[in-house]
Amino acid sequence: MFTKIDKFRYLIPKSYKQGMKIDGLVYATDKMIGQIEKDQTKEQVANVATLPGFVGKSLAMPDAHQGYGFCIGGVAAADINNGVVSAGGVGFDINCGVRLLATQFGLSDVKPKLEQLLNRLFRDIPCGTGKKGLLNVSRSELDDVLRDGAEWAVKNNYGNDRDLAHIEEYGKIPNADPALVSIRAKERGHNQLGTLGSGNHFLEIQVVSEIFDSEVAKNFGLSQGQIVVLIHSGSRGLGHQVCTDYLDMMQSGMKKYGISVVDRQLACVPINSKEGQNYLSAMAASANFAFANRQMITHWTREVFHQILGSGDLKIVYDVCHNIAKYEDHDVDGKRKKVLVHRKGATRAFPKNHIALPQELRGFGQPVLIPGSMGTCSYVLVGTELAMKETFGSSCHGAGRSKSRTQAKKETSVEELFREMKSKDIIVQGETKSGLTEEKPDAYKDVSEVVDVVHGAGIALKVAKLFPLAVMKG
């Protein structure tokens, strides 16, 4: 049962299901609610509301769809004293996230060399399932990566200090402990640093096609007609293995701590337990791997632009996590509390004056990056005070799937996909045919509708629209 609150908000009252301790809240339009009700999203939002120690509301952003335990597009926060942490509330691709790079080039500079740029990026940045990277770090070097994240890359001349200031958490989640990452996870990750991956991960050369807020856009370093690069990648096999390892641990831990859940995919342990702290330290290490991974991809991208266009001065606008759990201070029921915010396919969206932001962004707010889907536009938004009050400072993370990968592959051949992309003047390179067709644009919701909801609801405001010119897929 949904109770419509206003044009963009639908309540799932805690009377909906036995055991719910807090209400659920879904951001959507009437049309989107119809889509959301086709899968288990609503039940998953309600199920999360039954977890011990969760506060505020169990939230779903407008890009929400069914996930593992928590829905993708889900946000929920636990009291650190009596709450639990759930590996399913973070997901398998720990710190999957996006990074936006701003170039000094305009469309006329890049268009004649676009195909050359894409071919060289495709050659120099490994992509695809299990693909090895250009670096093969030793075990001790990998531990340094897991501990220091993007800071490791900058120390090794793959970036600069300004880069770190424009990454969420400055590219390094604290309390990461490489010793709590399994040998198997390290084996899967040691040769994947600087690789894009597969599925919905991508690198796109885009053009800023529209500006909604010129003052904020200028502060972010964005202008109409400017060429930008959007990178979407995560912690690869290493993060996936960490999630797998700790899901097993949490299943056992629930018996030890007398916790029962309505869905076994919500396996969880108390935040302050040894098991909970171990997971959070391993998760932080995986997140740091992902920050370093996007930093290495940034380095190869800068090299390609330098080789072909004569300058690799690409500045990071911002880098945000999608799948993460972090300690943050928020107002809950009128009181300031430290909580553990689970963002599962959601983006942090902090407002201006927030202490977590670097000085140059503090007067405007955090860039919120919302990617489209190969043939559709992407958006840059900015966080708001209302998000701090309603969503633990969070917004959506993308368009959100509307069709399964299997259905998408059945519906379209790669030849049809290339024709569609050509009609939009977009060039595409992909590692496999199936990897391309399962990510076809209409396998996702309309990203503009999703963004209109968070903008209309006031939890993030539109700054700029970006349109893809060249797409690289794993």
Side-chain angles (χ1 to χ4, degrees):
M1 175 192 296
F2 283 114
T3 302
K4 187 172 181 177
I5 297 175
D6 61 24
K7 190 177 176 183
F8 302 115
R9 291 171 178 82
Y10 293 80
L11 186 75
I12 306 173
K14 56 186 175 185
S15 58
Y16 170 71
K17 175 177 277 192
Q18 187 175 7
M20 284 178 70
K21 299 175 179 68
I22 56 175
D23 292 331
L25 184 66
V26 178
Y27 291 85
T29 60
D30 288 346
K31 179 183 169 187
M32 287 176 173
I33 281 292
Q35 179 75 30
I36 284 169
E37 287 193 296
K38 288 180 180 175
D39 64 20
Q40 290 298 303
T41 299
K42 181 173 66 175
E43 295 306 315
Q44 291 187 328
V45 173
N47 291 344
V48 169
T50 67
L51 290 175
F54 273 54
V55 296
K57 291 183 175 62
S58 170
L59 303 162
M61 297 295 131
D63 51 342
H65 56 98
Q66 183 177 332
Y68 183 89
F70 285 54
C71 68
I72 311 293
V75 178
D79 185 294
I80 64 164
N81 295 313
N82 58 19
V84 294
V85 56
S86 171
V90 173
F92 284 89
D93 192 359
I94 295 167
N95 190 9
C96 168
V98 286
R99 170 177 295 205
L100 181 64
L101 309 176
T103 80
Q104 58 183 286
F105 302 111
L107 186 59
S108 59
D109 302 313
V110 166
K111 191 75 174 175
K113 297 187 175 179
L114 192 60
E115 194 162 348
Q116 191 182 355
L117 274 170
L118 182 60
N119 289 339
R120 188 69 65 88
L121 288 165
F122 195 74
R123 188 195 75 177
D124 290 356
I125 300 172
C127 62
T129 306
K131 210 62 177 286
K132 295 178 181 176
L134 304 177
L135 286 178
N136 198 351
V137 294
S138 67
R139 289 288 171 84
S140 64
E141 286 173 321
L142 180 59
D143 283 354
D144 292 340
V145 171
L146 297 177
R147 197 177 293 111
D148 294 334
E151 193 176 291
W152 173 88
V154 169
K155 280 181 189 168
N156 286 277
N157 299 316
Y158 298 114
N160 54 62
D161 288 342
R162 186 198 174 278
D163 290 347
L164 299 179
H166 287 254
I167 303 174
E168 185 170 338
E169 298 293 335
Y170 295 85
K172 177 180 177 179
I173 304 279
N175 301 319
D177 188 348
L180 295 169
V181 175
S182 69
I183 297 294
R184 175 64 183 138
K186 290 177 181 177
E187 285 174 350
R188 292 183 65 178
H190 82 277
N191 59 8
Q192 291 189 330
L193 200 57
T195 63
L196 195 64
S198 58
N200 62 352
H201 293 161
F202 65 79
L203 184 153
E204 292 187 0
I205 300 172
Q206 305 179 333
V207 61
V208 178
S209 58
E210 190 172 355
I211 297 287
F212 302 100
D213 187 325
S214 56
E215 187 182 6
V216 176
K218 185 180 177 184
N219 181 263
F220 287 176
L222 299 173
S223 59
Q224 181 95 22
Q226 181 184 15
I227 297 298
V228 295
V229 178
L230 194 62
I231 297 165
H232 182 212
S233 190
S235 52
R236 309 286 284 112
L238 185 142
H240 193 283
Q241 187 63 45
V242 165
C243 182
T244 301
D245 293 341
Y246 280 88
L247 278 170
D248 289 343
M249 179 275 292
M250 288 185 179
Q251 290 287 355
S252 305
M254 285 198 302
K255 294 175 188 169
K256 177 179 174 182
Y257 294 104
I259 298 172
S260 61
V261 291
V262 296
D263 176 357
R264 65 187 305 275
Q265 293 184 356
L266 293 175
C268 55
V269 289
I271 294 169
N272 288 328
S273 67
K274 180 183 176 188
E275 292 87 349
Q277 291 297 301
N278 285 354
Y279 168 70
L280 287 168
S281 291
M283 182 215 68
S286 307
N288 289 342
F289 182 91
F291 282 136
N293 190 39
R294 290 197 286 277
Q295 188 66 33
M296 298 309 303
I297 293 171
T298 298
H299 175 74
W300 312 136
T301 302
R302 284 169 169 163
E303 284 204 338
V304 168
F305 270 74
H306 179 75
Q307 291 160 7
I308 294 177
L309 292 170
S311 172
D313 184 21
L314 277 62
K315 291 185 171 61
I316 300 177
V317 175
Y318 211 64
D319 178 307
V320 291
C321 311
H322 289 165
N323 295 352
I324 200 79
K326 290 198 309 187
Y327 293 114
E328 294 173 3
D329 292 324
H330 288 280
D331 291 334
V332 179
D333 300 327
K335 292 182 181 176
R336 197 72 172 163
K337 274 191 168 190
K338 186 177 286 294
V339 293
L340 185 71
V341 181
H342 294 65
R343 294 191 180 95
K344 166 84 170 286
T347 304
R348 197 184 74 175
F350 281 176
K352 64 182 180 181
N353 299 324
H354 198 288
I355 194 170
L357 302 181
Q359 198 61 45
E360 60 266 33
L361 294 175
R362 213 169 281 179
F364 297 89
Q366 180 208 304
V368 177
L369 312 175
I370 310 298
S373 51
M374 197 185 305
T376 62
C377 54
S378 300
Y379 286 86
V380 179
L381 296 89
V382 65
T384 69
E385 285 289 348
L386 190 60
M388 292 304 287
K389 293 175 182 172
E390 285 195 12
T391 62
F392 302 103
S394 309
S395 182
C396 61
H397 85 309
R401 285 200 84 89
S402 61
K403 294 176 182 174
S404 70
R405 289 187 165 89
T406 303
Q407 183 184 355
K409 278 190 284 193
K410 279 182 183 173
E411 286 179 351
T412 306
S413 69
V414 74
E415 291 77 16
E416 289 170 325
L417 178 67
F418 277 125
R419 277 198 294 275
E420 180 188 347
M421 293 298 102
K422 189 175 180 182
S423 71
K424 296 178 178 178
D425 208 16
I426 301 168
I427 58 174
V428 178
Q429 281 264 25
E431 184 69 15
T432 63
K433 289 181 180 179
S434 62
L436 284 172
T437 51
E438 70 185 24
E439 294 298 317
K440 65 176 188 162
D442 69 353
Y444 288 81
K445 299 178 188 178
D446 183 334
V447 68
S448 295
E449 285 185 20
V450 169
V451 166
D452 283 346
V453 171
V454 295
H455 178 87
I459 56 176
L461 299 177
K462 290 193 279 190
V463 175
K465 183 195 274 190
L466 320 172
F467 190 80
L469 303 171
V471 177
M472 172 176 157
K473 282 277 192 186

